[in-house]
Amino acid sequence: IKFLLELQDKRNVETVLIPDKTLSRYTICLSVSVGCYLSCEFCATAQISKSLVRNLSPGEIISQIILCKDYIDDWSTQKKITNQVLMGEGSPFLNLENVKVAIDNSKNKDGLEYGRTRITVSTVGVGIKKDDMNAIEWAAKELDVYLAWSLHSSIPKHRSEIMPINDKYSIDSLIPQLKKYYDQTKLPIFIEWICLEENMTDEHAKELIKIMKKVPSKLNLIEFNPLSNKDFKPASQENIDKFSKTIQDNGFLSLFRRSRGRDINASCGSLANKKS
């Protein structure tokens, strides 16, 4: 279920409510900004404008949850929305102060009362400083929730081609920070990996295994949702299975996430503030 929300300044942002197969539990995918300047080539949000329009306030982030809870009447002791993922529009690590306030209210027993393992925050790996600490180190202490690293390519040259931010914050520079995040929280890092024809190669798998040996992590393989103005091709199921097996054979967990909500432009990488 996709919600297109109009904010007080008439800007728009999207939120997605994702039911499980039994329709008894939901995950909510939250946006943290209008637009995004990271320009990841495979993401529709980056095509809205090549810039960040503005960050959302803590209230605008929390209001997405409240709206969805109202929509499905989720106010009993037994929660229907069991998980929150800050993986919608925008980069949470470029809106850390507001994201922290929103998460604090989500976790607070007098607020929405979500446990730390029910919330996941994504990052491409922004290494900005925060209170004289690296942002990832700061987030480990101040957010203390699951962290998902949008990696998508283990080969630096290729990652820079599809994610320009890699030129500023390289894979090698982020690995020690992610290791510190695990050391502080004891929560494994979720590595997010969009399944493209070009990044499901033996070389990518080999380099990814090297990374996973350094960072306690789990791999989430994500089905690619094609963009009308891009030439990326989704990986075949045969290549996805082969890639996943290689990771598993080396002792790491690899999960494949089928696309949900493609018919209403609500799937991963598809949020572009457009009506279906």
Side-chain angles (χ1 to χ4, degrees):
I1 306 168
K2 184 178 69 173
F3 299 84
L4 179 64
L5 310 179
E6 184 178 88
L7 308 174
Q8 282 191 327
D9 60 0
K10 304 302 180 182
R11 304 286 187 181
N12 294 109
V13 74
E14 291 182 337
T15 305
V16 182
L17 194 57
I18 310 163
D20 68 5
K21 291 180 180 179
T22 66
L23 302 181
S24 62
R25 297 186 304 151
Y26 296 80
T27 293
I28 185 170
C29 182
L30 301 168
S31 292
V32 298
S33 69
V34 179
C36 182
Y37 73 75
L38 294 179
S39 301
C40 298
E41 291 292 330
F42 49 81
C43 179
T45 303
Q47 315 306 314
I48 300 174
S49 65
K50 293 293 184 180
S51 64
L52 173 68
V53 178
R54 74 168 177 86
N55 284 324
L56 299 188
S57 69
E60 288 171 328
I61 297 170
I62 286 289
S63 291
Q64 295 171 64
I65 306 172
I66 293 173
L67 180 145
C68 290
K69 287 175 75 70
D70 280 343
Y71 185 82
I72 59 172
D73 190 21
D74 182 25
W75 294 107
S76 65
T77 304
Q78 192 71 29
K79 289 182 173 65
K80 296 178 184 177
I81 300 175
T82 57
N83 294 282
Q84 303 174 28
V85 295
L86 284 80
M87 296 182 182
E89 295 177 48
S91 174
F93 272 49
L94 296 177
N95 190 16
L96 268 179
E97 287 287 355
N98 291 342
V99 164
K100 172 178 162 48
V101 175
I103 287 177
D104 285 348
N105 278 275
S106 276
K107 291 164 68 176
N108 194 305
K109 67 178 182 179
D110 295 321
L112 296 176
E113 200 172 5
Y114 279 84
R116 64 196 284 263
T117 60
R118 293 296 182 178
I119 304 172
T120 303
V121 175
S122 69
T123 181
V124 297
V126 177
I128 57 176
K129 292 290 183 178
K130 184 86 177 96
D131 296 342
D132 294 324
M133 289 183 284
N134 180 277
I136 294 175
E137 182 183 357
W138 183 90
K141 296 177 180 179
E142 298 294 334
L143 303 185
D144 189 31
V145 294
Y146 274 120
L147 182 66
W149 181 23
S150 293
L151 179 59
H152 305 300
S153 176
S154 53
I155 298 174
K157 183 177 183 298
H158 178 250
R159 189 170 192 256
S160 291
E161 290 172 357
I162 63 174
M163 302 177 70
I165 195 68
N166 187 70
D167 289 336
K168 188 172 184 179
Y169 303 115
S170 68
I171 294 172
D172 285 344
S173 71
L174 294 170
I175 286 175
Q177 300 168 30
L178 293 163
K179 177 64 164 59
K180 286 182 180 178
Y181 193 97
Y182 170 79
D183 290 341
Q184 171 72 28
T185 64
K186 302 305 178 187
L187 298 173
I189 307 298
F190 292 116
I191 293 179
E192 306 295 299
W193 191 279
I194 202 81
C195 295
L196 303 172
E197 188 178 72
E198 60 199 74
N199 69 349
M200 305 300 287
T201 66
D202 291 341
E203 184 182 4
H204 273 95
K206 179 181 177 182
E207 294 304 313
L208 177 57
I209 289 164
K210 291 179 182 178
I211 293 170
M212 296 184 77
K213 285 180 177 178
K214 297 174 184 176
V215 180
S217 52
K218 302 176 182 180
L219 179 64
N220 278 335
L221 296 171
I222 305 167
E223 190 172 11
F224 174 60
N225 301 295
L227 305 177
S228 59
N229 61 335
K230 296 293 179 180
D231 294 328
F232 294 116
K233 294 181 179 179
S236 67
Q237 190 61 53
E238 180 182 359
N239 283 347
I240 292 172
D241 292 342
K242 178 184 176 184
F243 191 92
S244 184
K245 186 176 186 303
T246 299
I247 301 302
Q248 292 176 15
D249 287 347
N250 279 269
F252 302 105
L253 184 63
S254 173
L255 301 172
F256 176 58
R257 283 168 34 196
R258 282 280 180 199
S259 181
R260 307 276 301 281
R262 182 181 289 175
D263 57 325
I264 56 169
N265 295 323
S267 50
C268 289
S270 298
L271 301 186
N273 292 346
K274 294 180 180 179
K275 294 181 180 179
S276 14

